[in-house]
Amino acid sequence: TVEDGAAMSTAYAEMGLWDGARGYVTVDGVGSTWTDTSSIITGRYGEGTLDILNGGQVTSAGGVIGYYMINAPVADGVGAEVLIDGVGSTWTNTGELLVAKWGHAQMTVRNRGTVTSVGATIGHSEYPAPQMESRSLAYVWIEGAGSTWANSGDLVVGRAGRGEMSITDGGAVTNMHASIASDGNAWGRV
């Protein structure tokens, strides 16, 4: 836990590495920061949780929520979750954000939290075959006025995977271009 105005810096971070592992990071409170100069992977093979609360701030060069290699059994599943909750709570990605890359993942932004990214996919697989789409199951919720996801690149909801995004009660998502179910084996809903 990063709290009480503490600062953490890393060059690369994975939470929940290897089968059966569970990794948790919480960044809580104004002035509490985590800066990663590469990508933050939340849930790789194992379970991962990242909570950014009450004005905490995370900065990374990219992010993956829910990732495991294509040979991992689907039955094992992967639980990966990111929560950005509260005024001033931010996750700033200077690169791409992937929600479920061969994994099961969700991201929730609420109570005026903010996420930024440069390109994003919800439900991603690089192998567009029918048997692969169940490997990527992704859900994104943007809830309430002032809760935002500002994506300065393209947004894909369902790329050879299953993706769903819900924007409710005044939440907002901005992007350059958007596509839903970007190939014949994908499933997407907004």
Side-chain angles (χ1 to χ4, degrees):
T1 300
V2 182
E3 59 186 352
D4 297 328
M8 178 170 70
S9 297
T10 53
Y12 182 76
E14 294 187 358
M15 289 164 277
L17 179 62
W18 308 123
D19 293 334
R22 295 182 178 182
Y24 305 92
V25 173
T26 299
V27 182
D28 188 356
V30 175
S32 301
T33 64
W34 178 15
T35 301
D36 186 87
T37 56
S38 185
S39 291
I40 293 175
I41 299 177
T42 305
R44 177 170 181 171
Y45 296 108
E47 298 179 11
T49 300
L50 171 60
D51 291 332
I52 307 168
L53 310 174
N54 303 314
Q57 298 184 338
V58 174
T59 302
S60 60
V64 182
I65 309 168
Y67 172 74
Y68 65 112
M69 298 301 291
I70 202 67
N71 293 325
V74 174
D76 286 352
V78 172
E81 180 177 5
V82 171
L83 171 65
I84 302 96
D85 188 348
V87 176
S89 300
T90 61
W91 186 12
T92 302
N93 286 283
T94 58
E96 187 175 22
L97 176 58
L98 303 177
V99 184
K101 182 175 182 179
W102 309 317
H104 302 168
Q106 65 183 37
M107 180 176 74
T108 304
V109 184
R110 66 190 185 197
N111 297 322
R112 300 179 70 181
T114 301
V115 175
T116 62
S117 58
V118 183
T121 300
I122 304 169
H124 180 274
S125 174
E126 294 179 355
Y127 295 88
Q131 66 270 26
M132 299 303 177
E133 65 178 52
S134 64
R135 292 182 181 272
S136 289
L137 303 174
Y139 305 93
V140 171
W141 290 275
I142 312 297
E143 303 174 347
S147 301
T148 62
W149 182 4
N151 175 46
S152 60
D154 293 343
L155 174 63
V156 179
V157 183
R159 173 180 286 163
R162 297 175 63 87
E164 181 174 352
M165 180 169 63
S166 177
I167 308 165
T168 60
D169 300 322
V173 175
T174 57
N175 51 268
M176 292 291 292
H177 304 283
S179 58
I180 301 172
S182 66
D183 63 63
N185 297 311
W187 183 93
R189 181 168 66 184
V190 176

